[in-house]
Amino acid sequence: MYYIVGLGNPGLKYENTRHNVGFLTIDYLARKHNIDVRKSKFKSLYGQGTISGHKVMLIKPQTYMNNSGEAVRELKNFYKFDTDKLIVIYDDIDIDFGSIRIRKKGSAGTHNGMKSIIYQIQDDSFPRIKIAVGKKPEYMDLANFVLSGFSEKEAEIIRKEIDIASKSIETIIEENIDKSMNLYNSVRLVEDIDE
């Protein structure tokens, strides 16, 4: 079983913000593979199903972003899975808009949700998929930026990024993470976007 965790904040006011692309990717995978993500346990909404012939659990922590690790820790304590079966999807402001970045492991960088997960499970050797959400303008502080919505043009690109992210997950499950990194880390959807 693969445990696929999309990070975000619960509640309507956060629904389509930059910080919630992890949730949006889980929703997309759920629709695509007909998985109902409405069970409530482990401080999460989750659902089980099959992707590429493998059992998966799709998970949306309901703890708010900065405490995402509490949900992941509860899941891990209950199911006792190996860390390489955990895949975390989250927003990234440092990679070029119109791209995603797949990594086998590593630090949290500036992302509080990832910091929480690594702290709570005391391990950073799990695959993660970062989805570009644009660069923060000089005049905005980080919290306001990641909780802001997308312009129409940006939303179009985000939808394509989410599609690529979900394909990258299918490839990890079906083949392996190296193949997924080779296929999708080089994808560029935009040369540049009008400010």
Side-chain angles (χ1 to χ4, degrees):
M1 172 106 79
Y2 283 87
Y3 298 82
I4 304 166
V5 179
L7 300 189
N9 284 307
L12 284 175
K13 76 180 216 184
Y14 298 111
E15 202 164 19
N16 288 306
T17 60
R18 293 170 202 274
H19 230 11
N20 271 38
V21 292
F23 276 13
L24 295 171
T25 306
I26 293 291
D27 293 342
Y28 183 87
L29 281 165
R31 285 193 304 275
K32 190 173 179 183
H33 296 281
N34 206 17
I35 298 170
D36 186 3
V37 183
R38 282 189 299 195
K39 289 183 182 153
S40 181
K41 201 179 174 182
F42 315 113
K43 297 183 179 173
S44 302
L45 290 174
Y46 73 97
Q48 293 182 9
T50 307
I51 293 178
S52 304
H54 292 266
K55 282 185 179 170
V56 300
M57 185 184 284
L58 301 180
I59 301 138
K60 292 163 72 173
Q62 299 295 294
T63 53
Y64 289 101
M65 181 64 85
N66 294 359
N67 297 314
S68 302
E70 292 174 16
V72 176
R73 187 192 69 226
E74 287 196 13
L75 272 159
K76 201 166 185 314
N77 288 346
F78 188 84
Y79 288 103
K80 310 274 190 259
F81 54 85
D82 291 332
T83 315
D84 66 349
K85 293 291 187 246
L86 172 67
I87 301 170
V88 179
I89 311 152
Y90 62 103
D91 57 292
D92 193 302
I93 58 162
D94 296 318
I95 57 176
D96 291 335
F97 196 52
S99 66
I100 68 163
R101 188 73 72 252
I102 305 151
R103 291 274 180 265
K104 290 182 182 178
K105 59 180 183 180
S107 75
T110 57
H111 199 283
N112 289 333
M114 284 295 284
K115 284 179 188 170
S116 172
I117 292 172
I118 291 167
Y119 174 75
Q120 291 285 350
I121 68 171
Q122 293 294 295
D123 196 337
D124 67 359
S125 59
F126 54 87
R128 70 280 311 262
I129 295 157
K130 308 178 198 186
I131 297 178
V133 293
K135 298 266 191 276
K136 178 183 83 65
E138 289 294 314
Y139 63 86
M140 264 181 121
D141 76 31
L142 182 58
N144 286 337
F145 178 67
V146 295
L147 295 177
S148 68
F150 298 101
S151 71
E152 222 169 288
K153 194 169 179 183
E154 286 175 324
E156 207 176 297
I157 292 158
I158 287 290
R159 281 193 286 274
K160 290 176 183 166
E161 287 182 12
I162 286 170
D163 179 54
I164 291 166
S166 61
K167 285 180 178 142
S168 77
I169 290 165
E170 291 159 3
T171 305
I172 290 170
I173 291 169
E174 206 169 333
E175 312 233 13
N176 55 59
I177 191 164
D178 290 314
K179 174 84 182 275
S180 192
M181 287 164 72
N182 288 338
L183 282 173
Y184 299 108
N185 275 347
S186 57
V187 172
R188 294 288 173 276
L189 295 168
V190 279
E191 290 309 312
D192 64 335
I193 186 163
D194 298 328
E195 291 303 320

